[in-house]
Amino acid sequence: MKYKIITTRGARPLVEVQFEDKRFSLVGEMLLAERGFLPQMRASLEKVLKSADTENETFAGNAFSLFITKETTKLSNDINGEEAEAPTKELSRLIKVYQRQYARIKR
């Protein structure tokens, strides 16, 4: 997953992720929509990645649901039914980077 993180300007700046491959654009939408749940989402991803006992995990936020396995995570937009898949390890790293960038603009 190759991407670029940008911060929009204005009265209410937002952190957006722009992907080279358009098939990951739903990941960017999910990060923006579920930014309040990112710590819990990342904990679910890490639980699967670091535990030998946990083969998969599910996570549901306000508008998106995740089905997490060690290799891939399936994202579903619960409002319009769109789906995408992303590598779990890369998604966890992206969430960490996104959280740091979002924390900077909240100061």
Side-chain angles (χ1 to χ4, degrees):
M1 283 189 330
K2 292 186 179 184
Y3 56 86
K4 180 170 65 171
I5 296 180
I6 62 166
T7 302
T8 63
R9 303 212 182 272
R12 294 185 61 187
L14 297 171
V15 178
E16 293 181 358
V17 182
Q18 297 175 341
F19 292 91
E20 267 186 31
D21 189 339
K22 297 294 181 200
R23 68 185 169 132
F24 295 119
S25 62
L26 194 64
V27 174
E29 291 178 35
M30 185 246 345
L31 292 171
L32 187 59
E34 304 292 357
R35 61 189 178 272
F37 291 106
L38 292 178
Q40 297 90 335
M41 188 182 298
R42 188 151 179 266
S44 293
L45 291 162
E46 291 297 315
K47 180 178 178 182
V48 172
L49 288 170
K50 292 182 178 180
S51 173
D53 298 334
T54 306
E55 290 183 25
N56 61 61
E57 179 87 10
T58 58
F59 176 86
N62 288 329
F64 286 84
S65 296
L66 306 179
F67 181 76
I68 306 160
T69 66
K70 289 192 186 312
E71 294 81 31
T72 60
T73 297
K74 181 179 176 184
L75 296 86
S76 299
N77 181 322
D78 298 334
I79 297 169
N80 66 13
E82 269 188 278
E83 294 184 339
E85 203 168 79
T88 301
K89 194 178 283 188
E90 290 182 49
L91 181 59
S92 181
R93 275 190 240 128
L94 172 57
I95 291 172
K96 185 177 183 178
V97 170
Y98 187 90
Q99 283 179 288
R100 267 192 256 130
Q101 187 68 21
Y102 193 72
R104 285 185 192 133
I105 68 170
K106 293 304 277 181
R107 288 184 197 161

